[in-house]
């Protein structure tokens, strides 16, 4: 089973006077553009998940919607879950995925939460990755609950934007 983990794109800064509450922070125009370009790179790579999960926070949902648009996937297939909220324990992601059957899935979430899950799935004692905004990690999962996987690759948004160029 292949699992992709994508961090949300560039969002409005917390210190911006127009910044809404944390759960409502949204992607900036630059964040939308760079996320779209990263999603285009994933499309060029042939990423085609059947399962799409997102944090319910606005910036993660927007990231997932952009991904769906670029890949021609109906955004109704994007499902929000509390397991991808920044404060959730990594085990919650494994529990959520364990209830599903898939060959390929993608989760849209936050740092350091996704990095914590990667460490948990690899059975590392501490995080070994630092996902950039709109960056993606790919894990090959032997099992999802309990999680046991191998890190196949980790791509920065810049590499994704330049994929196929």
């Amino acid at each position: 089973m292949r699992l992709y983990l994508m961090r949300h794109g560039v969002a409005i800064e917390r210190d911006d006077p127009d910044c809404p509450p944390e759960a409502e922070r949204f992607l900036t125009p630059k964040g939308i553009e760079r996320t779209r370009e990263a999603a285009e790179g994933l499309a060029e790579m042939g990423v085609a998940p059947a399962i799409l999960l997102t944090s319910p926070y606005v910036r993660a949902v927007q990231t997932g919607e952009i991904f769906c648009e670029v890949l021609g996937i109906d955004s109704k297939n994007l499902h929000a879950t509390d397991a991808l909220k920044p404060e959730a324990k990594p085990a919650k992601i494994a529990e959520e995925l364990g209830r599903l059957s898939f060959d390929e899935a993608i989760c849209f979430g936050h740092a350091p939460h996704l990095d914590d899950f990667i460490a948990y799935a690899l059975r590392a004692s501490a995080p070994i990755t630092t996902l950039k905004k709109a960056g993606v990690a790919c894990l090959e999962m032997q099992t999802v609950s309990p999680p046991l996987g191998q890190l196949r690759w980790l791509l920065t948004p810049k590499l994704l934007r330049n994929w196929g160029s």
Side-chain angles (χ1 to χ4, degrees):
M1 295 170 282
R2 190 157 294 158
L3 177 62
Y4 303 97
L5 303 164
M6 184 171 192
R7 184 177 174 195
H8 65 78
V10 177
I12 186 170
E13 293 292 333
R14 289 179 182 91
D15 60 358
D16 187 310
D18 294 326
C19 184
E22 186 64 20
E24 298 171 22
R25 286 181 50 223
F26 51 87
L27 298 181
T28 64
K30 177 181 175 180
I32 291 169
E33 177 185 347
R34 289 197 172 167
T35 299
R36 183 175 312 287
E37 292 168 347
E40 289 168 355
L42 289 172
E44 286 288 324
M45 295 171 67
V47 171
I51 302 293
L52 300 100
L53 300 176
T54 183
S55 159
Y57 285 23
V58 170
R59 59 195 180 273
V61 172
Q62 288 178 298
T63 299
E65 289 171 342
I66 291 167
F67 177 86
C68 287
E69 181 183 322
V70 168
L71 273 74
I73 298 170
D74 188 337
S75 63
K76 291 178 185 170
N77 293 322
L78 183 64
H79 301 285
T81 174
D82 289 348
L84 286 163
K85 283 184 173 180
E87 66 275 7
K89 300 222 180 287
K92 292 293 183 187
I93 297 173
E95 290 171 16
E96 183 81 19
L97 290 169
R99 291 191 278 270
L100 305 169
S101 176
F102 64 89
D103 290 326
E104 281 189 44
I106 189 166
C107 296
F108 303 97
H110 312 271
H113 185 240
L114 293 177
D115 297 302
D116 292 341
F117 176 77
I118 292 168
Y120 181 65
L122 301 179
R123 310 254 170 106
S125 59
I128 59 169
T129 58
T130 306
L131 280 172
K132 303 282 187 197
K133 292 177 182 170
V136 180
C138 175
L139 300 177
E140 192 66 44
M141 303 296 296
Q142 284 76 44
T143 62
V144 290
S145 187
L148 177 60
Q150 295 179 328
L151 181 64
R152 291 186 47 99
W153 48 258
L154 178 72
L155 295 175
T156 65
K158 184 175 182 178
L159 284 170
L160 286 166
R161 288 192 309 265
N162 293 323
W163 198 268
S165 297

